[in-house]
């Protein structure tokens, strides 16, 4: 209960309302004290009027007037003359005087809190302005015990009322939150649970119904996500079925083509001029078909494991990769340039990064060799604020427009004749596994530039 949204909201509401009431309590008590003292001044003024009406008052009547006013004596100043109007014996000397004329709120609050804190009664002098301009000044002497008792009683009533208001407000807000927020959120959670049990069932897709704008937007976003995910799952299932069928066909077709490839060896030995002229084309066609079947089977079986992240030297990896590529160049005039800083350390799976860069390097090497012209392949890297950037630039003929449109798509982004387009798809998959991106920055008749971005994460 207390760990729920509504329970915590109930507790916070009670605390905040009580805090607000406490902030109200302090000036309220100060105001009550001021009214109390002003009332005593007014009573004392009324009592002094009896003396003005009759100069001769008995001691008993004077004592009764002072007792009703709640003071020990009354001093009234009129026409610049200060006169003791009523008086009675005081139990002890005056401790402190309070002038209510023009006293500001901070001063009144400080005096009120001091009176609540001080438990010992005192004899105080209170100075004020007579009501209805009946004089220049009026001052009384009074005991603080009744004042403090009255302030405490008033404070208790204020605190009790504050507690009642807090509880009532918290309960009302609790019920409002339950109706307006918690129940709609529980409905969204129930939809999500039902959808997770059967994501292919469109009946479990949420139907937005909340009247709260934010929740309505959340429901609509969830509905869109569930709809797209359901469609993607259906498409994935169909593609999986299609992939299984293609794999079986490719397997059988590869066996047939392998057998045909054996027969081409004898056909090449034929003395027939026509056969000699056609045999190489037949061999090349069969070889490409076998390669396509093997690539398709390999891609269909590929389930890349999560990368095993370590910190390694990128320059050393590039050097090793270049050494392998130089063996495949043969007599072609190609230059491999390693511009990676020798001390640059990168966090990733060395094997997968090697494969990704190797596919890009191989494609660039094959494109430059096909032109029959000298070429340069340059690989550089730099450390950015939160990622590493790896660039591979070649001086090849550039990618065809059709290949650029379908780049990184299996079986669509092939550049070479007979190619499958799986190389770049594998590169994108490996880099995505590291949380990074691979992008074609430029490609024209002067060359091609690919850029890989790898997030840094924590260097451990």
């Amino acid at each position: 209960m207390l760990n729920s949204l509504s329970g915590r909201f109930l507790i916070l509401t009670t605390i905040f309302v009580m805090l607000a009431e406490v902030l109200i309590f302090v000036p309220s008590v100060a105001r009550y004290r001021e009214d109390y003292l002003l009332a005593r001044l007014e009573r004392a003024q009324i009592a002094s009027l009896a003396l003005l009406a009759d100069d001769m008052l008995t001691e008993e009547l004077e004592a009764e007037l002072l007792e009703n006013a709640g003071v020990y004596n009354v001093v009234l100043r009129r026409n610049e003359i200060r006169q003791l109007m009523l008086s009675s014996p005081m139990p002890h000397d005056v401790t402190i005087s309070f002038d209510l004329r023009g006293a500001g709120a901070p001063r009144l609050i400080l005096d009120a809190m001091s009176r609540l804190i001080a438990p010992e009664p005192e004899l105080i002098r209170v100075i004020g302005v007579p009501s209805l301009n009946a004089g220049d000044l009026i001052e009384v002497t009074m005991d603080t015990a009744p004042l403090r008792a009255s302030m405490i009683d008033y404070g208790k009533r204020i605190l009790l009322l504050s507690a009642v208001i807090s509880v009532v407000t918290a309960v009302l807000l609790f019920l409002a939150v339950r109706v307006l927020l918690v129940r709609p959120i529980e409905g969204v959670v129930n939809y999500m649970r039902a959808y997770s049990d059967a994501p292919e069932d469109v009946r479990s897709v949420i139907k937005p119904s909340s009247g709260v704008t934010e929740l309505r937007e959340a429901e609509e976003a969830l509905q869109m996500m569930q709809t797209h995910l359901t469609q993607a799952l259906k498409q994935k299932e169909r593609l999986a079925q299609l992939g299984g069928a293609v794999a079986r066909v490719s397997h059988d077709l590869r066996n047939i083509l392998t057998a045909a490839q054996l027969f081409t060896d004898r056909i090449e030995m034929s003395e027939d001029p026509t056969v000699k002229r056609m045999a190489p084309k037949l061999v090349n066609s069969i070889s490409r078909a076998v390669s396509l079947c093997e690539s398709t089977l390999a891609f269909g079986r590929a389930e890349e494991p999560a990368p095993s992240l370590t910190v390694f030297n990128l320059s050393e990896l590039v050097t090793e990769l270049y050494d392998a590529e130089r063996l495949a160049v043969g007599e072609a005039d190609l230059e491999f340039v390693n511009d990676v800083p020798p001390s640059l350390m990168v966090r990733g799976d060395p094997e997968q990064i090697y494969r990704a860069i190797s596919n890009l390097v191989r494609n660039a090497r094959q494109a430059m060799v096909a032109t029959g012209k000298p070429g340069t392949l340059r690989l550089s890297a730099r450390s950015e604020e939160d990622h590493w950037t790896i660039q591979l630039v070649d001086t090849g003929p550039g990618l065809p427009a059709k290949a650029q449109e379908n780049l990184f798509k299996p079986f669509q982004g092939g550049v070479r004749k007979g190619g499958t387009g799986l190389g770049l798809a594998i590169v994108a998959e490996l880099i995505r596994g590291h949380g990074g991106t691979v992008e074609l920055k430029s490609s024209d008749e002067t060359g091609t530039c690919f850029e890989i971005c790898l997030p840094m994460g924590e260097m451990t």
Side-chain angles (χ1 to χ4, degrees):
M1 176 63 179
L2 296 181
N3 289 330
S4 64
L5 176 62
S6 54
R8 293 185 177 183
F9 195 84
L10 174 64
I11 295 174
L12 289 175
T13 302
T14 304
I15 293 174
F16 290 150
V17 172
M18 287 297 295
L19 179 61
E21 293 296 338
V22 168
L23 296 176
I24 295 173
F25 170 81
V26 174
S28 297
V29 172
R31 180 64 179 175
Y32 178 80
R33 172 183 171 276
E34 182 185 20
D35 292 341
Y36 183 95
L37 297 177
L38 290 174
R40 292 299 178 272
L41 291 175
E42 187 175 353
R43 290 182 186 181
Q45 181 181 347
I46 294 173
S48 66
L49 292 177
L51 180 62
L52 293 175
D54 187 358
D55 291 338
M56 299 300 293
L57 291 178
T58 64
E59 291 183 3
E60 291 79 7
L61 181 58
E62 186 174 354
E64 184 177 353
L65 289 173
L66 290 171
E67 183 178 358
N68 288 335
V71 299
Y72 288 104
N73 57 37
V74 180
V75 175
L76 184 64
R77 189 173 70 183
R78 301 178 63 182
N79 300 323
E80 301 299 329
I81 299 175
R82 189 173 183 273
Q83 183 180 4
L84 179 63
M85 304 299 295
L86 298 171
S87 66
S88 63
M90 293 187 294
H92 49 80
D93 295 336
V94 175
T95 305
I96 190 171
S97 296
F98 295 99
D99 192 345
L100 300 182
R101 298 173 298 175
R107 183 65 188 177
L108 292 173
I109 291 174
L110 180 61
D111 291 342
M113 292 301 101
S114 299
R115 179 54 48 206
L116 280 178
I117 295 172
E120 297 297 328
E122 296 178 313
L123 196 63
I124 63 173
R125 179 182 292 110
V126 181
I127 305 171
V129 178
S131 60
L132 300 177
N133 296 320
D136 300 326
L137 175 147
I138 184 171
E139 66 178 55
V140 298
T141 304
M142 57 180 289
D143 194 352
T144 60
L147 169 62
R148 185 171 184 272
S150 183
M151 290 173 63
I152 291 176
D153 181 64
Y154 176 79
K156 288 180 179 178
R157 286 185 277 117
I158 287 291
L159 290 178
L160 179 61
L161 180 62
S162 301
V164 173
I165 293 175
S166 299
V167 172
V168 172
T169 304
V171 170
L172 292 177
L173 287 174
F174 172 79
L175 296 176
V177 169
R178 287 287 303 175
V179 173
L180 297 177
L181 291 178
V182 176
R183 287 184 181 175
I185 291 175
E186 289 176 347
V188 172
V189 172
N190 291 333
Y191 267 112
M192 294 173 68
R193 288 173 178 169
Y195 183 81
S196 65
D197 294 335
E200 296 86 0
D201 188 355
V202 295
R203 294 175 299 175
S204 60
V205 175
I206 190 172
K207 298 174 180 61
S209 59
S210 177
V212 181
T213 303
E214 291 78 4
L215 282 176
R216 180 81 179 197
E217 293 175 352
E219 290 176 344
E220 291 174 352
L222 179 60
Q223 181 189 44
M224 183 181 300
M225 182 189 71
Q226 289 178 332
T227 302
H228 291 169
L229 183 56
T230 298
Q231 295 174 352
L233 289 173
K234 290 181 178 179
Q235 184 179 11
K236 181 179 179 181
E237 183 179 357
R238 290 195 295 268
L239 290 175
Q241 294 172 351
L242 178 61
V246 170
R248 288 191 293 271
V249 171
S250 296
H251 182 271
D252 295 339
L253 183 59
R254 183 190 60 176
N255 292 337
I256 296 172
L257 292 174
T258 301
Q261 203 171 22
L262 296 176
F263 290 113
T264 57
D265 295 336
R266 293 196 174 186
I267 293 176
E268 287 181 321
M269 298 172 60
S270 174
E271 298 297 332
D272 190 317
T274 304
V275 173
K276 283 188 174 182
R277 188 174 65 254
M278 300 298 296
K281 296 181 180 180
L282 176 61
V283 171
N284 291 336
S285 298
I286 294 176
S287 298
R288 285 196 298 270
V290 171
S291 176
L292 175 60
C293 291
E294 290 177 345
S295 298
T296 302
L297 289 172
F299 184 77
R301 291 193 305 268
E303 294 183 1
E304 295 293 345
S308 178
L309 302 180
T310 60
V311 178
F312 62 93
N313 187 292
L314 182 60
S315 179
E316 294 178 359
L317 183 143
V318 173
T319 300
E320 180 183 352
L321 190 154
Y322 276 177
D323 290 341
E325 285 298 320
R326 288 190 181 94
L327 296 176
V329 169
E331 308 237 347
D333 186 9
L334 294 185
E335 181 183 7
F336 295 90
V337 180
N338 182 358
D339 278 345
V340 178
S343 60
L344 181 63
M345 304 299 291
V346 174
R347 184 172 180 264
D349 188 320
E351 179 61 28
Q352 293 190 6
I353 297 298
Y354 182 95
R355 289 171 54 197
I357 299 178
S358 176
N359 278 333
L360 294 176
V361 170
R362 185 182 305 111
N363 288 346
R365 184 251 301 167
Q366 291 173 346
M368 290 187 291
V369 168
T371 63
K373 301 177 182 178
T376 301
L377 190 148
R378 186 180 303 274
L379 207 154
S380 61
R382 62 183 183 274
S383 177
E384 304 285 352
E385 182 178 353
D386 58 353
H387 65 277
W388 294 284
T389 299
I390 304 172
Q391 276 195 343
L392 187 143
V393 180
D394 66 58
T395 58
L399 298 175
K402 184 177 180 181
Q404 295 186 37
E405 292 175 1
N406 300 298
L407 212 59
F408 307 117
K409 295 180 180 179
F411 306 106
Q412 300 182 41
V415 178
R416 293 180 297 107
K417 183 177 179 180
T420 62
L422 291 176
L424 292 178
I426 293 173
V427 172
E429 181 181 354
L430 293 173
I431 298 302
R432 278 197 305 268
H434 286 73
T437 59
V438 56
E439 181 182 359
L440 175 66
K441 301 298 290 185
S442 63
S443 185
D444 52 31
E445 64 277 1
T446 62
T448 300
C449 175
F450 280 94
E451 183 175 279
I452 296 174
C453 288
L454 295 175
M456 285 190 177
E458 296 181 1
M459 291 286 289
T460 56

